[in-house]
């Protein structure tokens, strides 16, 4: 969406009617005659030629059928994201993104878009929903200045369901310095209520990077949630209620230059002493990727934790550069990777074996390799200006709002 907005491409939404009934069955499958069908003789069964709802093969067969149809139209399936299809015909670019039976289509030519709509309608029967406005719970508003992506309706439904419509407001998702564990407090009598809420908050995070740390922290306690965990989840809802319309904005004026911020909170997990990785990636002024993730191994120093965080960020940057090439928007190299730990930057730049470089896994040294190849260049940023801090720890309201504004989110 960020690239389509920058290139002024129209974005349309399609829905395939009865998608799962279009797939052809490759195995021999039989079913009892359905009620009301009186042509079958006693003891006879029906052999399935096409898929029906309820079969394990149905989703795969539908995807195969759609892929074959698009391939016949000249589309190429991306090896980096199998839901993405692209086509160049007479110099005109067209792209199509699929989520089961919901389709987004964008490109340079309205005629090409109309042609593909017609072809898909003949093959499967589609519902043309026009310019994209509401897609998988995401509300999309577009103007001459850019595209705004948010989930206000979805959030209000969560607040209504949990009874938080009249709750007091909060300025940050979690109290500053909060560290939860899996032993403090009584167990919840209704753990499913907590699990449903966290699942919804995770999906809300599609457009709300400001709750990334909170949802990662709270999702660790899904198996045996306790009262402090529920109280913290309600605190997140109080924060969300204070800014329900916040979302992602992709401006029409965009130079499409990538830059990334990477950070780590060393040994921050009180249960495992593992560190936390946080990163965010911008395409011009547009925030397009972010993550909060616990590292898989225990780091022996803060430099090692930061280095592992940089490695994960580099992997994400490589994937994004591959996708940009699919859109014929070649990234400008090297991509600046901002880090506030100078020791980690020295490890990345200097191929010297010493005590600090013994422990990182071989795959971590992808950072050094990509610096050598010119994909990235490390840039030191002061800790107070490190935007990725927002993804690694619960901050005070003032610092949280300051970093949020640096990411392009205005105060409500």
């Amino acid at each position: 969406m960020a690239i389509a907005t920058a290139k002024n491409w129209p974005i349309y939404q399609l829905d395939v009617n009865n998608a799962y009934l279009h797939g052809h069955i490759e195995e021999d499958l039989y079913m009892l005659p359905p009620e009301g069908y009186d042509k079958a003789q006693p003891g006879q069964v029906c052999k399935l030629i096409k898929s029906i709802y309820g079969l394990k093969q149905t989703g795969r067969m539908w995807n195969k059928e759609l892929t074959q149809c698009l391939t016949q139209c000249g589309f190429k399936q991306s090896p980096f994201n199998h839901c993405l299809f692209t086509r160049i015909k007479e110099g005109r670019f067209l792209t199509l993104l699929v989520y089961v039976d919901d389709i987004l289509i964008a490109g340079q030519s309205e005629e090409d878009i109309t042609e593909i709509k017609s072809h898909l309608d003949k093959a499967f029967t589609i519902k043309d929903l026009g310019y994209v406005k509401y897609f998988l719970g995401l509300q999309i508003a577009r103007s001459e200045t850019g595209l705004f992506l948010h989930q206000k309706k979805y959030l209000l439904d969560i607040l209504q369901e949990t009874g938080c419509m009249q709750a007091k407001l909060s300025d940050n998702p979690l109290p500053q310095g909060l560290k939860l564990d899996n032993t403090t407090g009584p167990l919840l009598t209704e753990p499913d209520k907590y699990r449903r809420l966290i699942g919804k908050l995770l999906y809300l995070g599609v457009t709300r990077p400001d709750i990334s740390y909170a949802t990662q922290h709270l999702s660790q306690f899904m198996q045996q949630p306790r009262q402090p965990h529920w109280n913290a989840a309600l605190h997140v809802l109080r924060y969300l209620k204070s800014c329900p319309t916040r979302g992602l904005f992709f401006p029409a004026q965009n130079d499409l230059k990538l830059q990334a911020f990477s950070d780590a909170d060393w040994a921050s997990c009180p249960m495992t002493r593992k560190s936390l990785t946080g990163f965010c990636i911008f395409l011009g002024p547009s925030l397009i990727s972010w993550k909060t993730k616990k590292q898989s191994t225990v780091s022996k120093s803060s430099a090692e934790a930061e280095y592992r965080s940089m490695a994960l960020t580099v992997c994400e940057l490589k994937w994004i550069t591959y996708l940009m090439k699919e859109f014929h928007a070649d990234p400008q190299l090297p991509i600046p990777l901002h880090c506030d730990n100078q020791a980690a930057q020295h490890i990345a730049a200097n191929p010297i074996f010493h005590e600090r470089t013994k422990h990182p896994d071989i795959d971590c040294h992808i950072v050094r390799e990509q610096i050598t190849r010119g994909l990235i260049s490390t840039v030191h940023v002061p800790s107070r200006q490190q935007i990725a801090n927002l993804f690694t720890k619960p901050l005070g309201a003032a610092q949280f709002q300051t970093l949020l504004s640096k990411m392009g989110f205005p105060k409500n």
Side-chain angles (χ1 to χ4, degrees):
M1 287 187 175
I3 292 177
T5 304
K7 292 182 175 290
N8 197 29
W9 295 341
I11 308 175
Y12 288 90
Q13 179 180 356
L14 315 174
D15 181 70
V16 180
N17 296 324
N18 301 316
Y20 279 6
L21 303 182
H22 293 290
H24 287 80
I25 298 293
E26 296 177 344
E27 301 87 357
D28 289 335
L29 293 179
Y30 301 89
M31 63 176 284
L32 294 173
E35 293 182 10
Y37 183 77
D38 55 6
K39 294 184 179 181
Q41 300 298 320
Q44 286 186 330
V45 294
C46 300
K47 181 178 180 180
L48 289 175
I49 299 174
K50 285 195 170 185
S51 60
I52 59 174
Y53 285 85
L55 297 178
K56 293 182 178 179
Q57 298 95 328
T58 300
R60 178 169 54 86
M61 291 296 99
W62 156 243
N63 182 263
K64 183 177 180 180
E65 198 74 21
L66 178 62
T67 301
Q68 288 177 347
C69 176
L70 293 174
T71 303
Q72 292 170 1
C73 294
F75 280 89
K76 181 185 71 170
Q77 188 175 25
S78 170
F80 311 109
N81 184 346
H82 291 171
C83 300
L84 175 66
F85 297 82
T86 58
R87 187 187 79 174
I88 296 181
K89 183 179 180 181
E90 298 177 356
R92 300 186 303 272
F93 180 81
L94 191 64
T95 181
L96 189 143
L97 195 65
V98 180
Y99 183 85
V100 189
D101 59 349
D102 292 295
I103 300 173
L104 292 182
I105 182 169
Q108 296 172 310
S109 169
E110 293 272 5
E111 293 181 1
D112 289 349
I113 293 175
T114 303
E115 173 202 336
I116 294 303
K117 286 181 184 178
S118 176
H119 185 86
L120 290 176
D121 189 52
K122 290 178 181 178
F124 306 116
T125 309
I126 65 168
K127 188 185 300 179
D128 187 352
L129 302 176
Y131 290 114
V132 61
K133 293 181 180 178
Y134 192 80
F135 186 74
L136 303 177
L138 310 181
Q139 294 171 258
I140 300 153
R142 191 168 184 179
S143 66
E144 293 182 356
T145 58
L147 183 145
F148 183 55
L149 192 66
H150 65 100
Q151 292 170 278
K152 180 182 177 180
K153 181 181 181 301
Y154 185 73
L155 171 57
L156 294 179
D157 290 343
I158 297 174
L159 294 173
Q160 186 72 41
E161 182 182 331
T162 53
C164 291
M165 291 298 289
Q166 304 303 321
K168 293 182 179 180
L169 306 183
S170 174
D171 292 330
N172 51 353
L174 290 177
Q176 185 175 7
L178 177 69
K179 295 291 183 182
L180 300 171
D181 58 50
N182 51 14
T183 58
T184 304
L187 292 170
L188 292 179
T189 56
E190 297 181 86
D192 286 347
K193 184 169 66 172
Y194 178 84
R195 293 166 187 152
R196 283 195 301 271
L197 175 57
I198 299 305
K200 291 180 178 182
L201 290 177
L202 286 169
Y203 188 67
L204 185 64
V206 172
T207 60
R208 297 299 298 261
D210 48 341
I211 64 169
S212 179
Y213 171 81
T215 53
Q216 186 279 335
H217 195 48
L218 295 175
S219 64
Q220 299 177 88
F221 311 108
M222 301 278 267
Q223 187 172 2
Q224 290 186 318
R226 298 176 179 270
Q227 190 61 45
H229 309 147
W230 177 251
N231 295 340
L234 293 180
H235 192 284
V236 177
L237 291 179
R238 289 169 48 205
Y239 163 73
L240 290 169
K241 183 176 179 292
S242 70
C243 49
T245 59
R246 184 167 283 164
L248 300 173
F249 181 67
F250 302 138
Q253 300 298 322
N254 193 327
D255 58 10
L256 301 182
K257 290 183 179 179
L258 286 168
Q259 64 170 331
F261 293 81
S262 170
D263 191 34
D265 194 14
W266 180 45
S268 60
C269 178
M271 298 165 288
T272 62
R273 307 311 298 173
K274 292 180 180 178
S275 305
L276 207 61
T277 286
F279 69 75
C280 56
I281 298 173
F282 293 84
L283 184 64
S286 305
L287 179 64
I288 60 169
S289 181
W290 61 88
K291 180 171 285 188
T292 300
K293 183 175 182 175
K294 188 188 292 185
Q295 295 181 1
S296 57
T297 59
V298 177
S299 297
K300 299 191 68 177
S301 67
S302 59
E304 182 181 339
E306 294 277 0
Y307 193 52
R308 292 185 186 279
S309 181
M310 292 170 68
L312 185 63
T313 310
V314 169
C315 291
E316 183 76 2
L317 283 171
K318 282 177 64 66
W319 181 68
I320 289 175
T321 57
Y322 294 148
L323 287 182
M324 288 186 66
K325 291 176 182 177
E326 294 284 325
F327 285 97
H328 293 266
D330 290 337
Q332 300 183 39
L333 304 180
I335 302 166
L337 173 57
H338 299 80
C339 174
D340 61 4
N341 188 289
Q342 291 185 333
Q345 289 180 253
H346 293 325
I347 294 172
N350 303 313
I352 301 171
F353 182 84
H354 50 70
E355 287 296 323
R356 285 188 174 181
T357 60
K358 281 182 182 179
H359 309 289
D361 299 331
I362 293 174
D363 60 349
C364 283
H365 291 289
I366 187 175
V367 181
R368 183 181 300 164
E369 177 186 344
Q370 296 306 320
I371 289 176
T372 304
R373 293 186 176 184
L375 176 72
I376 64 166
S377 62
T378 57
V379 180
H380 182 260
V381 60
S383 294
R384 64 182 180 278
Q385 298 177 11
Q386 173 57 278
I387 297 176
N389 265 335
L390 189 143
F391 299 97
T392 58
K393 54 183 74 70
L395 303 172
Q399 186 182 6
F400 178 82
Q401 294 294 338
T402 298
L403 294 179
L404 206 57
S405 65
K406 289 182 179 293
M407 291 172 60
F409 292 90
K411 294 182 179 180
N412 282 27

